[in-house]
Amino acid sequence: MPFHQWMNAALYDPHQGYYCTPGLTRWGRKGDYRTSPERSSLFAATFARYFVELHRKFETTTELVLFEIGAGGGDFAYGVLDHMQRRYQDIYQNTWYIVHEQAEDLRRMLREKLKPFETQVLYKSMDALDPLDPGIIFANELLDAFPVHRVAKHNGEVREFYVNLDADGNFVWELQPISAERLKEHLHRPELQLVEGQIAEINLGIDDWLKVAANKLAKGYLILVDYGAEAKQLY
């Protein structure tokens, strides 16, 4: 199968995917990795202050509506709400913090983590969210968790990585023709000029996600925290 399909199953299969399997310790010192909210409460506190600044630019409402997508273990949401409760009590009382998390196991963890602020927290999927007017959509290290297509230039032709099994049942790579017409079209972009042997990862899901997110904002801000390099550096 194409690596994109394999990665999607590995991360998001409802029964055995990494983000959906119950009982895994994913974040923090005892887990597999740490993102900024787990490393320091200053990360959430800094954004809480920033959210308040943006909210004050909304002159038509007293409510602050925050929608976090991919909230993970809830450290960021906890930190933002805790800081606002202590430093901006008047705004905190008029805050709705809406959380979207795809995995059922993580939703249970979030509800437990955010119990101290349960009067201000709602749980909704992006599909069920009415357009915010106004509001703030936030995501931290979400885009890099989307499944990617993996391609390489081989003998002058761009081909796609597939995942197969060898005779012993081990995963192995195979280079095959490009699997999707949309990927072919993307590879024709002028900035995607690979040299022989170069490998690239293509995240087609970002454009789709951004369109959906933008349609959920009648007015407001979309704030994304992630890392990477510009196309000129990558390609």
Side-chain angles (χ1 to χ4, degrees):
M1 66 177 67
F3 175 71
H4 174 273
Q5 186 179 344
W6 187 93
M7 181 177 177
N8 186 62
L11 294 181
Y12 300 112
D13 179 83
H15 304 292
Q16 294 181 304
Y18 178 75
Y19 288 115
C20 303
T21 302
L24 292 182
T25 303
R26 302 172 183 86
W27 301 279
R29 290 183 180 275
K30 295 181 180 179
D32 296 321
Y33 60 89
R34 288 188 293 168
T35 60
S36 297
E38 292 92 50
R39 294 180 66 88
S40 171
S41 60
L42 289 175
F43 183 81
T46 300
F47 272 100
R49 184 174 63 181
Y50 182 47
F51 294 154
V52 168
E53 291 174 0
L54 295 178
H55 169 66
R56 286 171 174 161
K57 296 181 180 181
F58 300 142
E59 299 177 355
T60 59
T61 182
T62 58
E63 284 191 343
L64 170 57
V65 182
L66 297 166
F67 181 50
E68 184 185 358
I69 305 171
D75 291 87
F76 181 80
Y78 185 99
V80 168
L81 290 165
D82 179 63
H83 189 79
M84 290 181 64
Q85 186 182 48
R86 290 186 290 106
R87 298 293 182 92
Y88 306 101
Q89 181 62 226
D90 57 329
I91 295 177
Y92 170 81
Q93 292 175 348
N94 291 292
T95 293
W96 290 108
Y97 199 108
I98 307 172
V99 180
H100 169 94
E101 180 51 66
Q102 182 172 330
E104 183 179 347
D105 180 48
L106 296 182
R107 289 197 296 271
R108 286 195 295 266
M109 290 173 54
L110 281 166
R111 289 181 185 277
E112 185 64 30
K113 179 91 173 180
L114 300 179
K115 263 188 178 180
F117 316 105
E118 60 185 357
T119 57
Q120 316 303 128
V121 178
L122 299 172
Y123 299 87
K124 284 187 179 182
S125 68
M126 187 186 284
D127 291 340
L129 185 73
D130 293 327
L132 305 182
D133 188 15
I136 298 170
I137 296 177
F138 177 84
N140 177 55
E141 295 196 30
L142 172 73
L143 304 183
D144 67 310
F146 289 2
V148 298
H149 294 270
R150 201 162 188 253
V151 300
K153 193 164 189 178
H154 180 68
N155 291 333
E157 181 183 1
V158 178
R159 297 174 72 82
E160 186 171 3
F161 280 96
Y162 281 60
V163 178
N164 205 344
L165 294 175
D166 64 15
D168 297 319
N170 299 311
F171 290 121
V172 293
W173 291 115
E174 286 186 0
L175 278 174
Q176 299 280 1
I178 300 300
S179 63
E181 191 62 34
R182 188 178 173 196
L183 180 57
K184 291 180 183 178
E185 294 172 0
H186 186 87
L187 290 167
H188 286 143
R189 294 170 60 174
E191 66 269 28
L192 284 170
Q193 299 302 314
L194 304 183
V195 299
E196 183 68 24
Q198 183 179 357
I199 296 172
E201 294 176 350
I202 309 296
N203 189 336
L204 296 179
I206 290 178
D207 288 348
D208 295 336
W209 185 88
L210 284 173
K211 289 176 184 176
V212 174
N215 286 332
K216 295 298 181 179
L217 273 176
K219 179 181 178 182
Y221 299 91
L222 174 62
I223 301 171
L224 306 175
V225 181
D226 227 303
Y227 54 88
E230 295 183 358
K232 188 175 181 180
Q233 294 172 280
L234 287 172
Y235 306 117

